[in-house]
Amino acid sequence: MLSITVTIIIITCLVSLAAFYNEKILNDLIFWPPAISNHRQYYRFITCGFIHADFFHLAFNMYSFYFFGDLVEQQFVALFGDKGKLFYALMYITALVICLLPTYTKNINNYNYRSLGASGAVSAVIFAFIFLNPLQKVGLLFLPPDMMVPGFIFGALYLIISTYLDKKGGGNINHSAHIWGAIYGIAFLSIMGYLFSHYHPMTEFINQVQAYFN
C-alpha cells in the first residue's frame, strides 16, 4: 500500500504535468483571488497546490516533500496510531488553505495576482519534522553535509530570510505562503499532540534545544 506522501506526490506530478501542456487546466486550478471572492471558487486554495510553474519547481517541491514527508508520516503513525496517516493528510491539505489566507486577504481584488505550487504545505511538513526532531541536521539541497545545521537553527534562519524577502517584495515566489505554512505545521502538530497524544511537542522541543546548549 502506498504511503500518503507517495500518493500525494503521484497525484501532484500527474496534475502538474497535465497543466504544463493544457493552459485551461492551469487557469482552472491556479490560485486567483478574484475568482474566489467573486465566483466562490474556494477549491482553488487546494487545487493550486497540485500545479507548478515548471519542471524544476515541481521537482524541487516534490523532492523536499518526499525527503521530509516520509519521515513525518512515520512519526505521526508512531504518535497517533491508527489516526496518524489521517492526521498527516489533514495537515497537508489544510496547510494548502491556511498558508494562502494572508495572501488572499492582501490580493482579494487583485486581478493580476496568481499563485501556484505546494510550497506552503511542504513548509508545514518540513517544520513539523523540525519540531519533532530539532537537533537533526538539516541543510539546503546540493550543499555538502558539513554545511548542515541543527533543524531548529535552520528553521529560524528560514523564517528570518523568508520574512525579509516577503517584506522586500518582488520576484515570483510567495514567501508569505512559506512562512504561514511553516507556522501552521508547528501549530497543527502542537494542537493534535495535546488533544490526541501523551506526547507534547512544544515541551519536548524546548527540552531538546535546551539540552543542545547545555
Short mmCIF file of all heavy atoms in Angstrom, two decimals, residues 21-87:
data_model
loop_
_atom_site.label_atom_id
_atom_site.label_comp_id
_atom_site.label_asym_id
_atom_site.label_seq_id
_atom_site.Cartn_x
_atom_site.Cartn_y
_atom_site.Cartn_z
N TYR A 21 0.89 21.25 -20.19
CA TYR A 21 0.55 21.15 -21.61
C TYR A 21 -0.89 21.55 -21.92
O TYR A 21 -1.31 21.46 -23.07
CB TYR A 21 0.80 19.71 -22.09
CG TYR A 21 2.23 19.28 -21.91
CD1 TYR A 21 2.59 18.43 -20.87
CD2 TYR A 21 3.23 19.75 -22.75
CE1 TYR A 21 3.92 18.03 -20.70
CE2 TYR A 21 4.56 19.37 -22.57
CZ TYR A 21 4.89 18.52 -21.55
OH TYR A 21 6.20 18.15 -21.37
N ASN A 22 -1.61 21.99 -20.89
CA ASN A 22 -3.01 22.41 -21.12
C ASN A 22 -3.27 23.67 -20.30
O ASN A 22 -3.44 23.60 -19.09
CB ASN A 22 -3.96 21.28 -20.71
CG ASN A 22 -5.39 21.56 -21.12
OD1 ASN A 22 -5.88 22.67 -20.98
ND2 ASN A 22 -6.08 20.53 -21.61
N GLU A 23 -3.31 24.79 -20.96
CA GLU A 23 -3.46 26.07 -20.27
C GLU A 23 -4.81 26.18 -19.55
O GLU A 23 -4.92 26.84 -18.52
CB GLU A 23 -3.31 27.22 -21.26
CG GLU A 23 -3.23 28.59 -20.60
CD GLU A 23 -2.91 29.69 -21.58
OE1 GLU A 23 -2.69 29.39 -22.78
OE2 GLU A 23 -2.88 30.86 -21.15
N LYS A 24 -5.83 25.53 -20.08
CA LYS A 24 -7.15 25.58 -19.43
C LYS A 24 -7.09 24.93 -18.05
O LYS A 24 -7.68 25.44 -17.09
CB LYS A 24 -8.20 24.88 -20.28
CG LYS A 24 -9.62 24.99 -19.70
CD LYS A 24 -10.64 24.31 -20.56
CE LYS A 24 -12.05 24.57 -20.04
NZ LYS A 24 -12.22 24.17 -18.62
N ILE A 25 -6.41 23.80 -17.94
CA ILE A 25 -6.27 23.14 -16.65
C ILE A 25 -5.55 24.06 -15.68
O ILE A 25 -5.96 24.22 -14.52
CB ILE A 25 -5.50 21.81 -16.79
CG1 ILE A 25 -6.31 20.81 -17.61
CG2 ILE A 25 -5.17 21.23 -15.42
CD1 ILE A 25 -5.59 19.50 -17.88
N LEU A 26 -4.48 24.69 -16.15
CA LEU A 26 -3.72 25.63 -15.31
C LEU A 26 -4.61 26.76 -14.82
O LEU A 26 -4.65 27.07 -13.62
CB LEU A 26 -2.54 26.19 -16.10
CG LEU A 26 -1.67 27.21 -15.37
CD1 LEU A 26 -0.89 26.53 -14.26
CD2 LEU A 26 -0.73 27.90 -16.35
N ASN A 27 -5.35 27.38 -15.72
CA ASN A 27 -6.21 28.51 -15.37
C ASN A 27 -7.36 28.11 -14.46
O ASN A 27 -7.79 28.90 -13.61
CB ASN A 27 -6.76 29.17 -16.63
CG ASN A 27 -5.69 29.87 -17.44
OD1 ASN A 27 -4.68 30.33 -16.88
ND2 ASN A 27 -5.88 29.95 -18.75
N ASP A 28 -7.86 26.90 -14.61
CA ASP A 28 -8.98 26.44 -13.78
C ASP A 28 -8.55 26.10 -12.35
O ASP A 28 -9.38 26.15 -11.44
CB ASP A 28 -9.62 25.20 -14.41
CG ASP A 28 -10.44 25.54 -15.65
OD1 ASP A 28 -10.73 26.74 -15.85
OD2 ASP A 28 -10.78 24.62 -16.41
N LEU A 29 -7.28 25.75 -12.17
CA LEU A 29 -6.82 25.29 -10.86
C LEU A 29 -5.98 26.30 -10.09
O LEU A 29 -5.85 26.19 -8.87
CB LEU A 29 -5.99 24.00 -11.02
CG LEU A 29 -6.68 22.81 -11.70
CD1 LEU A 29 -5.75 21.61 -11.71
CD2 LEU A 29 -7.99 22.47 -11.01
N ILE A 30 -5.42 27.28 -10.76
CA ILE A 30 -4.48 28.20 -10.14
C ILE A 30 -5.16 29.08 -9.08
O ILE A 30 -6.38 29.31 -9.13
CB ILE A 30 -3.82 29.09 -11.22
CG1 ILE A 30 -2.51 29.69 -10.71
CG2 ILE A 30 -4.78 30.19 -11.69
CD1 ILE A 30 -1.65 30.30 -11.81
N PHE A 31 -4.38 29.53 -8.10
CA PHE A 31 -4.89 30.42 -7.06
C PHE A 31 -5.03 31.82 -7.65
O PHE A 31 -4.03 32.47 -7.96
CB PHE A 31 -3.94 30.44 -5.86
CG PHE A 31 -4.40 31.33 -4.74
CD1 PHE A 31 -5.45 30.95 -3.92
CD2 PHE A 31 -3.77 32.54 -4.51
CE1 PHE A 31 -5.87 31.78 -2.89
CE2 PHE A 31 -4.18 33.37 -3.47
CZ PHE A 31 -5.23 32.99 -2.67
N TRP A 32 -6.25 32.26 -7.79
CA TRP A 32 -6.57 33.57 -8.36
C TRP A 32 -7.63 34.22 -7.47
O TRP A 32 -8.80 33.86 -7.54
CB TRP A 32 -7.07 33.41 -9.80
CG TRP A 32 -7.25 34.71 -10.53
CD1 TRP A 32 -6.51 35.84 -10.42
CD2 TRP A 32 -8.27 35.00 -11.50
NE1 TRP A 32 -6.97 36.83 -11.25
CE2 TRP A 32 -8.07 36.33 -11.93
CE3 TRP A 32 -9.33 34.26 -12.04
CZ2 TRP A 32 -8.87 36.95 -12.88
CZ3 TRP A 32 -10.13 34.88 -12.99
CH2 TRP A 32 -9.92 36.21 -13.41
N PRO A 33 -7.23 35.11 -6.57
CA PRO A 33 -8.15 35.67 -5.56
C PRO A 33 -9.49 36.18 -6.09
O PRO A 33 -10.54 35.89 -5.49
CB PRO A 33 -7.32 36.78 -4.93
CG PRO A 33 -5.92 36.29 -5.05
CD PRO A 33 -5.86 35.60 -6.38
N PRO A 34 -9.54 36.93 -7.20
CA PRO A 34 -10.85 37.41 -7.68
C PRO A 34 -11.82 36.29 -8.02
O PRO A 34 -13.05 36.45 -7.87
CB PRO A 34 -10.48 38.24 -8.92
CG PRO A 34 -9.09 38.72 -8.65
CD PRO A 34 -8.43 37.55 -7.96
N ALA A 35 -11.30 35.15 -8.50
CA ALA A 35 -12.19 34.02 -8.82
C ALA A 35 -12.80 33.45 -7.55
O ALA A 35 -13.92 32.93 -7.57
CB ALA A 35 -11.40 32.93 -9.55
N ILE A 36 -12.09 33.58 -6.45
CA ILE A 36 -12.59 33.09 -5.16
C ILE A 36 -13.59 34.08 -4.58
O ILE A 36 -14.68 33.70 -4.15
CB ILE A 36 -11.42 32.87 -4.18
CG1 ILE A 36 -10.48 31.79 -4.72
CG2 ILE A 36 -11.94 32.47 -2.80
CD1 ILE A 36 -9.19 31.64 -3.94
N SER A 37 -13.24 35.35 -4.57
CA SER A 37 -14.11 36.37 -3.96
C SER A 37 -15.35 36.66 -4.79
O SER A 37 -16.43 36.89 -4.24
CB SER A 37 -13.32 37.67 -3.74
OG SER A 37 -12.81 38.16 -4.98
N ASN A 38 -15.22 36.60 -6.11
CA ASN A 38 -16.36 36.94 -6.97
C ASN A 38 -17.18 35.74 -7.41
O ASN A 38 -18.38 35.87 -7.66
CB ASN A 38 -15.86 37.69 -8.22
CG ASN A 38 -15.20 39.00 -7.89
OD1 ASN A 38 -15.51 39.63 -6.87
ND2 ASN A 38 -14.28 39.45 -8.73
N HIS A 39 -16.57 34.60 -7.51
CA HIS A 39 -17.26 33.41 -8.02
C HIS A 39 -17.27 32.24 -7.04
O HIS A 39 -17.70 31.14 -7.40
CB HIS A 39 -16.62 32.97 -9.35
CG HIS A 39 -16.62 34.04 -10.39
ND1 HIS A 39 -17.76 34.49 -11.02
CD2 HIS A 39 -15.58 34.78 -10.90
CE1 HIS A 39 -17.45 35.44 -11.90
NE2 HIS A 39 -16.12 35.64 -11.83
N ARG A 40 -16.78 32.48 -5.83
CA ARG A 40 -16.80 31.47 -4.76
C ARG A 40 -16.11 30.17 -5.17
O ARG A 40 -16.54 29.07 -4.78
CB ARG A 40 -18.23 31.19 -4.32
CG ARG A 40 -18.94 32.41 -3.76
CD ARG A 40 -20.34 32.09 -3.28
NE ARG A 40 -21.00 33.28 -2.75
CZ ARG A 40 -22.23 33.29 -2.25
NH1 ARG A 40 -22.95 32.16 -2.23
NH2 ARG A 40 -22.76 34.40 -1.79
N GLN A 41 -15.05 30.28 -5.91
CA GLN A 41 -14.28 29.10 -6.32
C GLN A 41 -13.23 28.77 -5.25
O GLN A 41 -12.02 28.82 -5.48
CB GLN A 41 -13.64 29.34 -7.68
CG GLN A 41 -14.67 29.51 -8.78
CD GLN A 41 -14.05 29.82 -10.14
OE1 GLN A 41 -12.84 29.97 -10.29
NE2 GLN A 41 -14.90 29.93 -11.16
N TYR A 42 -13.73 28.39 -4.09
CA TYR A 42 -12.86 28.15 -2.93
C TYR A 42 -11.91 26.98 -3.13
O TYR A 42 -10.88 26.89 -2.47
CB TYR A 42 -13.72 27.92 -1.68
CG TYR A 42 -14.64 29.08 -1.35
CD1 TYR A 42 -16.03 28.95 -1.48
CD2 TYR A 42 -14.13 30.30 -0.94
CE1 TYR A 42 -16.88 30.01 -1.20
CE2 TYR A 42 -14.97 31.37 -0.64
CZ TYR A 42 -16.35 31.22 -0.77
OH TYR A 42 -17.17 32.27 -0.49
N TYR A 43 -12.27 26.09 -4.04
CA TYR A 43 -11.43 24.93 -4.29
C TYR A 43 -10.03 25.32 -4.74
O TYR A 43 -9.08 24.55 -4.61
CB TYR A 43 -12.07 24.03 -5.35
CG TYR A 43 -12.22 24.67 -6.71
CD1 TYR A 43 -11.16 24.66 -7.62
CD2 TYR A 43 -13.41 25.29 -7.09
CE1 TYR A 43 -11.28 25.24 -8.86
CE2 TYR A 43 -13.54 25.89 -8.33
CZ TYR A 43 -12.48 25.87 -9.22
OH TYR A 43 -12.60 26.47 -10.45
N ARG A 44 -9.87 26.55 -5.26
CA ARG A 44 -8.57 26.99 -5.76
C ARG A 44 -7.51 27.05 -4.65
O ARG A 44 -6.32 26.96 -4.94
CB ARG A 44 -8.69 28.36 -6.44
CG ARG A 44 -9.44 28.33 -7.77
CD ARG A 44 -9.55 29.72 -8.36
NE ARG A 44 -10.30 29.73 -9.61
CZ ARG A 44 -9.77 29.62 -10.83
NH1 ARG A 44 -8.45 29.47 -10.94
NH2 ARG A 44 -10.52 29.65 -11.91
N PHE A 45 -7.95 27.23 -3.41
CA PHE A 45 -6.99 27.20 -2.30
C PHE A 45 -6.22 25.88 -2.27
O PHE A 45 -5.05 25.83 -1.91
CB PHE A 45 -7.72 27.37 -0.96
CG PHE A 45 -8.04 28.80 -0.60
CD1 PHE A 45 -9.34 29.28 -0.70
CD2 PHE A 45 -7.05 29.65 -0.12
CE1 PHE A 45 -9.64 30.58 -0.34
CE2 PHE A 45 -7.34 30.95 0.24
CZ PHE A 45 -8.64 31.43 0.13
N ILE A 46 -6.93 24.81 -2.63
CA ILE A 46 -6.32 23.48 -2.60
C ILE A 46 -5.73 23.08 -3.94
O ILE A 46 -4.60 22.60 -4.02
CB ILE A 46 -7.36 22.43 -2.14
CG1 ILE A 46 -7.78 22.71 -0.70
CG2 ILE A 46 -6.81 21.01 -2.29
CD1 ILE A 46 -8.88 21.82 -0.18
N THR A 47 -6.48 23.29 -5.02
CA THR A 47 -6.02 22.81 -6.33
C THR A 47 -4.73 23.47 -6.79
O THR A 47 -3.94 22.86 -7.51
CB THR A 47 -7.11 23.02 -7.41
OG1 THR A 47 -7.46 24.42 -7.47
CG2 THR A 47 -8.35 22.20 -7.09
N CYS A 48 -4.49 24.71 -6.36
CA CYS A 48 -3.27 25.39 -6.79
C CYS A 48 -2.02 24.68 -6.25
O CYS A 48 -0.92 24.84 -6.80
CB CYS A 48 -3.27 26.86 -6.35
SG CYS A 48 -3.11 27.10 -4.56
N GLY A 49 -2.19 23.88 -5.19
CA GLY A 49 -1.06 23.16 -4.63
C GLY A 49 -0.69 21.92 -5.42
O GLY A 49 0.32 21.26 -5.13
N PHE A 50 -1.48 21.60 -6.44
CA PHE A 50 -1.20 20.42 -7.25
C PHE A 50 -0.71 20.78 -8.64
O PHE A 50 -0.57 19.90 -9.50
CB PHE A 50 -2.46 19.55 -7.34
CG PHE A 50 -2.81 18.89 -6.03
CD1 PHE A 50 -3.65 19.52 -5.12
CD2 PHE A 50 -2.28 17.66 -5.70
CE1 PHE A 50 -3.95 18.94 -3.89
CE2 PHE A 50 -2.58 17.06 -4.48
CZ PHE A 50 -3.41 17.69 -3.58
N ILE A 51 -0.45 22.07 -8.88
CA ILE A 51 0.14 22.51 -10.14
C ILE A 51 1.40 23.32 -9.85
O ILE A 51 1.53 23.91 -8.77
CB ILE A 51 -0.85 23.34 -10.98
CG1 ILE A 51 -1.38 24.54 -10.17
CG2 ILE A 51 -2.01 22.48 -11.46
CD1 ILE A 51 -2.28 25.47 -10.97
N HIS A 52 2.32 23.36 -10.82
CA HIS A 52 3.59 24.04 -10.62
C HIS A 52 3.97 24.82 -11.87
O HIS A 52 3.45 24.58 -12.96
CB HIS A 52 4.67 23.03 -10.23
CG HIS A 52 4.49 22.50 -8.85
ND1 HIS A 52 3.56 21.53 -8.55
CD2 HIS A 52 5.10 22.82 -7.68
CE1 HIS A 52 3.60 21.27 -7.25
NE2 HIS A 52 4.52 22.04 -6.70
N ALA A 53 4.92 25.74 -11.68
CA ALA A 53 5.29 26.64 -12.77
C ALA A 53 6.08 25.94 -13.86
O ALA A 53 5.93 26.24 -15.05
CB ALA A 53 6.09 27.82 -12.21
N ASP A 54 6.95 25.01 -13.47
CA ASP A 54 7.79 24.31 -14.43
C ASP A 54 8.32 23.02 -13.80
O ASP A 54 8.01 22.71 -12.64
CB ASP A 54 8.94 25.19 -14.91
CG ASP A 54 9.72 25.82 -13.76
OD1 ASP A 54 10.00 25.10 -12.77
OD2 ASP A 54 10.03 27.02 -13.83
N PHE A 55 9.12 22.28 -14.56
CA PHE A 55 9.64 21.00 -14.07
C PHE A 55 10.54 21.17 -12.85
O PHE A 55 10.49 20.36 -11.92
CB PHE A 55 10.41 20.28 -15.19
CG PHE A 55 9.52 19.67 -16.23
CD1 PHE A 55 9.34 20.27 -17.47
CD2 PHE A 55 8.85 18.47 -15.98
CE1 PHE A 55 8.52 19.70 -18.43
CE2 PHE A 55 8.03 17.89 -16.94
CZ PHE A 55 7.86 18.52 -18.16
N PHE A 56 11.37 22.22 -12.84
CA PHE A 56 12.25 22.42 -11.69
C PHE A 56 11.45 22.72 -10.43
O PHE A 56 11.75 22.19 -9.36
CB PHE A 56 13.22 23.57 -11.97
CG PHE A 56 14.14 23.85 -10.81
CD1 PHE A 56 15.26 23.05 -10.59
CD2 PHE A 56 13.87 24.89 -9.94
CE1 PHE A 56 16.10 23.30 -9.51
CE2 PHE A 56 14.70 25.14 -8.84
CZ PHE A 56 15.82 24.35 -8.63
N HIS A 57 10.44 23.56 -10.56
CA HIS A 57 9.57 23.91 -9.42
C HIS A 57 8.91 22.65 -8.87
O HIS A 57 8.88 22.42 -7.65
CB HIS A 57 8.52 24.91 -9.88
CG HIS A 57 7.67 25.47 -8.80
ND1 HIS A 57 6.38 25.91 -9.03
CD2 HIS A 57 7.90 25.66 -7.47
CE1 HIS A 57 5.87 26.35 -7.89
NE2 HIS A 57 6.77 26.20 -6.93
N LEU A 58 8.40 21.82 -9.76
CA LEU A 58 7.75 20.58 -9.36
C LEU A 58 8.75 19.62 -8.70
O LEU A 58 8.48 19.07 -7.62
CB LEU A 58 7.13 19.91 -10.59
CG LEU A 58 6.54 18.51 -10.39
CD1 LEU A 58 5.37 18.53 -9.42
CD2 LEU A 58 6.11 17.92 -11.75
N ALA A 59 9.91 19.45 -9.33
CA ALA A 59 10.91 18.51 -8.81
C ALA A 59 11.43 18.95 -7.45
O ALA A 59 11.58 18.12 -6.53
CB ALA A 59 12.06 18.40 -9.80
N PHE A 60 11.68 20.23 -7.29
CA PHE A 60 12.21 20.74 -6.02
C PHE A 60 11.21 20.51 -4.89
O PHE A 60 11.56 20.04 -3.81
CB PHE A 60 12.53 22.23 -6.15
CG PHE A 60 13.11 22.83 -4.89
CD1 PHE A 60 14.46 22.70 -4.62
CD2 PHE A 60 12.30 23.50 -3.99
CE1 PHE A 60 15.00 23.25 -3.45
CE2 PHE A 60 12.82 24.05 -2.84
CZ PHE A 60 14.18 23.92 -2.56
N ASN A 61 9.94 20.88 -5.14
CA ASN A 61 8.92 20.71 -4.10
C ASN A 61 8.68 19.26 -3.75
O ASN A 61 8.58 18.89 -2.58
CB ASN A 61 7.60 21.35 -4.55
CG ASN A 61 7.49 22.80 -4.14
OD1 ASN A 61 8.26 23.30 -3.32
ND2 ASN A 61 6.53 23.51 -4.73
N MET A 62 8.59 18.40 -4.76
CA MET A 62 8.29 17.01 -4.50
C MET A 62 9.47 16.27 -3.87
O MET A 62 9.27 15.37 -3.04
CB MET A 62 7.83 16.30 -5.79
CG MET A 62 6.49 16.81 -6.31
SD MET A 62 5.11 16.61 -5.11
CE MET A 62 5.02 18.26 -4.38
N TYR A 63 10.70 16.64 -4.25
CA TYR A 63 11.86 16.03 -3.60
C TYR A 63 11.90 16.40 -2.13
O TYR A 63 12.12 15.56 -1.26
CB TYR A 63 13.15 16.48 -4.29
CG TYR A 63 14.40 15.94 -3.62
CD1 TYR A 63 14.86 14.65 -3.92
CD2 TYR A 63 15.10 16.70 -2.68
CE1 TYR A 63 15.99 14.14 -3.29
CE2 TYR A 63 16.22 16.19 -2.05
CZ TYR A 63 16.67 14.92 -2.36
OH TYR A 63 17.77 14.41 -1.73
N SER A 64 11.70 17.69 -1.84
CA SER A 64 11.69 18.15 -0.45
C SER A 64 10.57 17.48 0.34
O SER A 64 10.76 17.07 1.49
CB SER A 64 11.52 19.67 -0.40
OG SER A 64 12.56 20.33 -1.09
N PHE A 65 9.41 17.38 -0.30
CA PHE A 65 8.26 16.77 0.36
C PHE A 65 8.53 15.30 0.67
O PHE A 65 8.24 14.81 1.77
CB PHE A 65 7.03 16.91 -0.52
CG PHE A 65 5.79 16.26 0.03
CD1 PHE A 65 5.43 16.42 1.36
CD2 PHE A 65 4.98 15.49 -0.79
CE1 PHE A 65 4.28 15.81 1.87
CE2 PHE A 65 3.84 14.88 -0.29
CZ PHE A 65 3.49 15.04 1.04
N TYR A 66 9.10 14.58 -0.30
CA TYR A 66 9.38 13.15 -0.07
C TYR A 66 10.42 12.96 1.01
O TYR A 66 10.28 12.09 1.88
CB TYR A 66 9.85 12.49 -1.36
CG TYR A 66 10.17 11.02 -1.16
CD1 TYR A 66 9.15 10.08 -1.05
CD2 TYR A 66 11.49 10.58 -1.05
CE1 TYR A 66 9.43 8.74 -0.83
CE2 TYR A 66 11.78 9.25 -0.84
CZ TYR A 66 10.75 8.33 -0.73
OH TYR A 66 11.04 7.01 -0.51
N PHE A 67 11.47 13.77 0.98
CA PHE A 67 12.58 13.63 1.92
C PHE A 67 12.11 13.79 3.36
O PHE A 67 12.47 13.00 4.24
CB PHE A 67 13.66 14.67 1.60
CG PHE A 67 14.89 14.53 2.45
CD1 PHE A 67 15.88 13.61 2.11
CD2 PHE A 67 15.07 15.30 3.58
CE1 PHE A 67 17.02 13.47 2.89
CE2 PHE A 67 16.21 15.18 4.36
CZ PHE A 67 17.19 14.26 4.02
N PHE A 68 11.28 14.80 3.60
CA PHE A 68 10.79 15.06 4.96
C PHE A 68 9.45 14.35 5.23
O PHE A 68 9.20 13.89 6.33
CB PHE A 68 10.62 16.56 5.19
CG PHE A 68 11.91 17.31 5.27
CD1 PHE A 68 12.40 17.98 4.16
CD2 PHE A 68 12.64 17.34 6.44
CE1 PHE A 68 13.61 18.67 4.22
CE2 PHE A 68 13.85 18.03 6.52
CZ PHE A 68 14.33 18.70 5.41
N GLY A 69 8.60 14.30 4.22
CA GLY A 69 7.25 13.79 4.41
C GLY A 69 7.20 12.34 4.82
O GLY A 69 6.40 11.95 5.69
N ASP A 70 8.05 11.52 4.23
CA ASP A 70 8.06 10.10 4.56
C ASP A 70 8.39 9.90 6.04
O ASP A 70 7.77 9.08 6.72
CB ASP A 70 9.07 9.38 3.68
CG ASP A 70 8.92 7.87 3.76
OD1 ASP A 70 7.80 7.38 3.56
OD2 ASP A 70 9.93 7.19 4.03
N LEU A 71 9.34 10.67 6.54
CA LEU A 71 9.72 10.57 7.96
C LEU A 71 8.63 11.09 8.87
O LEU A 71 8.32 10.50 9.91
CB LEU A 71 11.02 11.35 8.19
CG LEU A 71 12.26 10.83 7.43
CD1 LEU A 71 13.43 11.79 7.59
CD2 LEU A 71 12.64 9.45 7.94
N VAL A 72 8.03 12.24 8.50
CA VAL A 72 6.97 12.83 9.32
C VAL A 72 5.75 11.91 9.36
O VAL A 72 5.13 11.73 10.41
CB VAL A 72 6.57 14.23 8.79
CG1 VAL A 72 5.36 14.76 9.55
CG2 VAL A 72 7.75 15.19 8.93
N GLU A 73 5.41 11.32 8.23
CA GLU A 73 4.28 10.39 8.18
C GLU A 73 4.50 9.23 9.15
O GLU A 73 3.58 8.83 9.88
CB GLU A 73 4.08 9.89 6.76
CG GLU A 73 2.87 8.97 6.61
CD GLU A 73 2.60 8.57 5.17
OE1 GLU A 73 3.20 9.18 4.25
OE2 GLU A 73 1.79 7.66 4.96
N GLN A 74 5.70 8.69 9.16
CA GLN A 74 6.01 7.59 10.08
C GLN A 74 5.92 8.04 11.54
O GLN A 74 5.42 7.30 12.39
CB GLN A 74 7.42 7.06 9.79
CG GLN A 74 7.57 6.37 8.45
CD GLN A 74 8.99 5.96 8.17
OE1 GLN A 74 9.75 5.58 9.07
NE2 GLN A 74 9.41 6.03 6.91
N GLN A 75 6.37 9.25 11.82
CA GLN A 75 6.31 9.75 13.19
C GLN A 75 4.88 10.05 13.62
O GLN A 75 4.53 9.88 14.79
CB GLN A 75 7.19 10.99 13.34
CG GLN A 75 8.68 10.66 13.28
CD GLN A 75 9.56 11.85 13.60
OE1 GLN A 75 9.71 12.77 12.80
NE2 GLN A 75 10.15 11.86 14.79
N PHE A 76 4.05 10.49 12.68
CA PHE A 76 2.63 10.69 13.00
C PHE A 76 1.97 9.38 13.38
O PHE A 76 1.16 9.33 14.31
CB PHE A 76 1.91 11.33 11.81
CG PHE A 76 1.83 12.83 11.86
CD1 PHE A 76 2.97 13.59 12.05
CD2 PHE A 76 0.63 13.49 11.70
CE1 PHE A 76 2.91 14.97 12.11
CE2 PHE A 76 0.55 14.86 11.75
CZ PHE A 76 1.69 15.61 11.95
N VAL A 77 2.31 8.31 12.67
CA VAL A 77 1.76 6.99 12.99
C VAL A 77 2.24 6.55 14.36
O VAL A 77 1.47 6.00 15.16
CB VAL A 77 2.16 5.96 11.92
CG1 VAL A 77 1.75 4.55 12.35
CG2 VAL A 77 1.52 6.30 10.58
N ALA A 78 3.51 6.81 14.67
CA ALA A 78 4.05 6.45 15.98
C ALA A 78 3.37 7.23 17.10
O ALA A 78 3.13 6.70 18.19
CB ALA A 78 5.56 6.69 16.01
N LEU A 79 3.03 8.48 16.84
CA LEU A 79 2.42 9.34 17.86
C LEU A 79 0.92 9.12 18.01
O LEU A 79 0.39 9.11 19.12
CB LEU A 79 2.66 10.82 17.52
CG LEU A 79 4.08 11.35 17.68
CD1 LEU A 79 4.15 12.80 17.19
CD2 LEU A 79 4.52 11.27 19.13
N PHE A 80 0.23 8.94 16.88
CA PHE A 80 -1.23 8.92 16.91
C PHE A 80 -1.85 7.58 16.53
O PHE A 80 -3.08 7.47 16.45
CB PHE A 80 -1.77 10.01 15.95
CG PHE A 80 -1.26 11.39 16.25
CD1 PHE A 80 -0.43 12.04 15.35
CD2 PHE A 80 -1.60 12.03 17.43
CE1 PHE A 80 0.04 13.32 15.62
CE2 PHE A 80 -1.14 13.31 17.71
CZ PHE A 80 -0.31 13.95 16.81
N GLY A 81 -1.03 6.59 16.30
CA GLY A 81 -1.56 5.26 15.99
C GLY A 81 -2.32 5.23 14.69
O GLY A 81 -1.88 5.77 13.67
N ASP A 82 -3.50 4.60 14.71
CA ASP A 82 -4.30 4.44 13.51
C ASP A 82 -4.74 5.76 12.89
O ASP A 82 -5.04 5.83 11.70
CB ASP A 82 -5.55 3.60 13.83
CG ASP A 82 -5.21 2.17 14.21
OD1 ASP A 82 -4.10 1.72 13.86
OD2 ASP A 82 -6.04 1.51 14.87
N LYS A 83 -4.81 6.80 13.69
CA LYS A 83 -5.22 8.12 13.18
C LYS A 83 -4.05 8.88 12.56
O LYS A 83 -4.25 9.96 11.98
CB LYS A 83 -5.83 8.96 14.31
CG LYS A 83 -7.09 8.40 14.93
CD LYS A 83 -7.64 9.37 15.97
CE LYS A 83 -8.93 8.85 16.60
NZ LYS A 83 -8.68 7.68 17.46
N GLY A 84 -2.84 8.36 12.70
CA GLY A 84 -1.65 9.08 12.26
C GLY A 84 -1.67 9.49 10.80
O GLY A 84 -1.40 10.65 10.46
N LYS A 85 -1.98 8.56 9.91
CA LYS A 85 -2.00 8.87 8.48
C LYS A 85 -3.09 9.87 8.14
O LYS A 85 -2.90 10.75 7.29
CB LYS A 85 -2.15 7.58 7.66
CG LYS A 85 -0.90 6.72 7.64
CD LYS A 85 -1.07 5.51 6.75
CE LYS A 85 0.21 4.70 6.65
NZ LYS A 85 1.28 5.42 5.93
N LEU A 86 -4.24 9.73 8.78
CA LEU A 86 -5.34 10.67 8.56
C LEU A 86 -4.93 12.08 8.99
O LEU A 86 -5.14 13.06 8.25
CB LEU A 86 -6.58 10.24 9.33
CG LEU A 86 -7.76 11.22 9.31
CD1 LEU A 86 -8.27 11.41 7.89
CD2 LEU A 86 -8.88 10.71 10.22
N PHE A 87 -4.32 12.19 10.15
CA PHE A 87 -3.88 13.50 10.65
C PHE A 87 -2.82 14.11 9.74
O PHE A 87 -2.80 15.31 9.50
CB PHE A 87 -3.35 13.38 12.07
CG PHE A 87 -4.40 13.10 13.11
CD1 PHE A 87 -4.05 12.68 14.38
CD2 PHE A 87 -5.75 13.23 12.81
CE1 PHE A 87 -5.01 12.43 15.34
CE2 PHE A 87 -6.73 12.97 13.76
CZ PHE A 87 -6.36 12.56 15.03
#
